[in-house]
Amino acid sequence: MSDRIYLDHAATSPIRPEALAAMQDGFRKWANPSSPHAEGRKAKQELEDARARVKNALGWNGEVIFTSGASEALSIGLQRAKADRQIVSAAEHDAVFRAAPGADVVGLQGPLVDRDALDRLLQPDGSAIVAVQHVNSETGVMQPIIELAQQVRSRNGVMLCDCSQSAGKHALPDCDMAVISAHKFGGPIGIGALLVRDYALLDPIGGHERGYRQGTENLPGALGMAAALEQWAPDDPEPFIDVGDKFIELTEIVTDHGGVIVDADGMTTMFIKSIAHPSLSAQAQLIRLDAMGFAVSAGSACSSGTLKKSRVLDAFGVDDETASRTIRVSIGWNTAAEDLERFAQAWVGLT
């Protein structure tokens, strides 16, 4: 299995050795950080150090609430924000719709959030919390969060940005809340965070994390997440120059062979590509590629096992036929240029 090539980092990234070592150290130091004894106080100190390291690595000047992952962070942000309404974009991850089932949905204009439609939804009296992904988990399209945040704030709203796919890889955008998930950037599974500009934006419920989250804090996970984040230099292309060049070559190869790339010119991350084959279904591609030693997916991991059309691709205006032939290729910290070169050769050979 050592010759297999993993290209599904948008679903989860293999844990970095630095994060694994930090977790092992955390397990050796483990005690409940809320306990009053010396061991508990030491664990609390380690937890707060991890919190400071996460803030420093991300360049975040607000607060950090550790959670069990992005889904819980989204639930806290959307359900406990001091806002009268919830607005989400049509291309959000399913976890957003589960956290805000009654939210108003704003569609896309091309690949980007429809600013006019958003303005109409922001018109009624009262404040709203608006959730938009920084980097879309299926297409890699990046939304102009800075401009959206200005628009939302001008209407007394709160901007929540799902940065699960961009944290560590791209600089955090200007927003009021941000969601991160450690296993997307080489940290451990089961740990994430809600970054909050000010605790006053949320209603507390008591318990841990200054009263904003219940459940014992995951010290080993927090240490692993901090260690993983510290290995990234957001928006520094140098470690990925060769890989990025191969990804560009891959997109050219795809279009030259009759395929389609679902993206937005100049507004797409280098870490995720959505590729439609000219004739083979997504399921057929996944089976063939898996047998050839490549791990890729068809959309988000939570929905790729279904046969129905991706809601996200539908929001992006991809027709049913193209969507049925679309797979996702995503790279991460341990992807090599030759991995993409071999994948391109394999994809071209699919018939």
Side-chain angles (χ1 to χ4, degrees):
M1 298 293 287
S2 60
D3 61 342
R4 288 185 61 83
I5 293 177
Y6 186 82
L7 297 173
D8 196 21
H9 288 260
T12 195
S13 217
I15 192 166
R16 282 180 173 269
E18 299 88 352
L20 181 58
M23 287 189 71
Q24 290 170 336
D25 185 50
F27 282 118
R28 285 190 292 267
K29 297 175 179 176
W30 170 248
N32 192 319
S34 296
S35 296
H37 46 62
E39 291 81 0
R41 295 196 303 273
K42 175 62 176 175
K44 181 69 170 180
Q45 180 182 349
E46 294 280 348
L47 184 71
E48 294 310 312
D49 180 64
R51 197 186 311 274
R53 290 166 59 195
V54 167
K55 290 171 64 173
N56 183 64
L58 292 171
W60 180 254
N61 295 320
E63 310 295 344
V64 173
I65 300 171
F66 286 126
T67 67
S68 62
S71 293
E72 184 189 9
L74 287 164
S75 293
I76 293 173
L78 285 164
Q79 296 174 6
R80 300 222 303 276
K82 293 179 180 178
D84 300 313
R85 292 174 297 115
Q86 302 162 327
I87 300 173
V88 304
S89 95
E92 295 306 294
H93 192 279
D94 285 346
V96 171
F97 289 92
R98 288 193 294 267
D104 292 321
V105 179
V106 58
L108 305 182
Q109 188 173 50
L112 304 180
V113 170
D114 187 331
R115 300 281 294 279
D116 291 334
L118 176 59
D119 199 56
R120 289 191 293 272
L121 288 173
L122 289 167
Q123 288 283 356
D125 292 336
S127 62
I129 180 167
V130 180
V132 179
Q133 268 187 334
H134 187 198
V135 170
N136 185 265
S137 55
E138 293 190 33
T139 65
V141 169
M142 300 181 70
Q143 296 292 336
I145 300 299
I146 294 176
E147 291 83 355
L148 290 170
Q150 291 172 344
Q151 181 178 1
V152 169
R153 289 166 179 160
S154 71
R155 297 289 186 180
N156 195 36
V158 175
M159 187 75 208
L160 184 155
C161 187
D162 181 358
C163 297
S164 299
Q165 297 293 345
S166 62
K169 305 164 192 176
H170 298 283
L172 287 182
D174 179 28
C175 56
D176 301 304
M177 301 185 199
V179 169
I180 68 172
S181 179
H183 74 102
K184 302 294 188 180
F185 49 76
I189 190 72
I191 184 78
L194 176 65
L195 314 183
V196 188
R197 175 171 51 81
D198 190 325
Y199 283 133
L201 293 171
L202 296 171
D203 286 320
I205 60 170
H208 300 287
E209 291 298 289
R210 280 114 170 130
Y212 291 89
R213 190 243 178 185
Q214 295 180 342
T216 302
E217 292 102 335
N218 180 357
L219 173 60
L223 291 172
M225 178 162 69
L229 274 176
E230 288 169 342
Q231 307 308 310
W232 291 90
D235 290 322
D236 178 9
E238 185 172 353
F240 291 96
I241 289 177
D242 292 340
V243 180
D245 288 343
K246 287 299 178 183
F247 229 164
I248 293 172
E249 287 181 22
L250 173 62
T251 61
E252 294 171 349
I253 289 170
V254 167
T255 54
D256 287 346
H257 287 79
V260 175
I261 304 292
V262 181
D263 64 2
D265 292 338
M267 293 291 290
T268 308
T269 184
M270 67 166 287
F271 294 94
I272 300 172
K273 297 295 180 185
S274 195
I275 299 172
H277 193 274
S279 59
L280 282 182
S281 71
Q283 294 297 321
Q285 291 178 72
L286 295 186
I287 293 170
R288 295 276 300 279
L289 289 167
D290 188 41
M292 296 164 70
F294 297 94
V296 295
S297 65
S300 295
C302 61
S303 60
S304 60
T306 68
L307 295 178
K308 62 183 181 180
K309 179 182 179 182
S310 162
R311 175 184 48 74
V312 170
L313 294 181
D314 195 45
F316 276 97
V318 179
D319 64 85
D320 292 354
E321 175 60 26
T322 301
S324 71
R325 296 182 276 106
T326 299
I327 64 172
R328 179 185 66 183
V329 179
S330 51
I331 65 175
W333 66 271
N334 63 349
T335 304
E338 52 266 31
D339 295 342
L340 289 173
E341 187 172 5
R342 287 177 55 188
F343 174 80
Q345 295 171 353
W347 187 88
V348 169
L350 294 176
T351 56

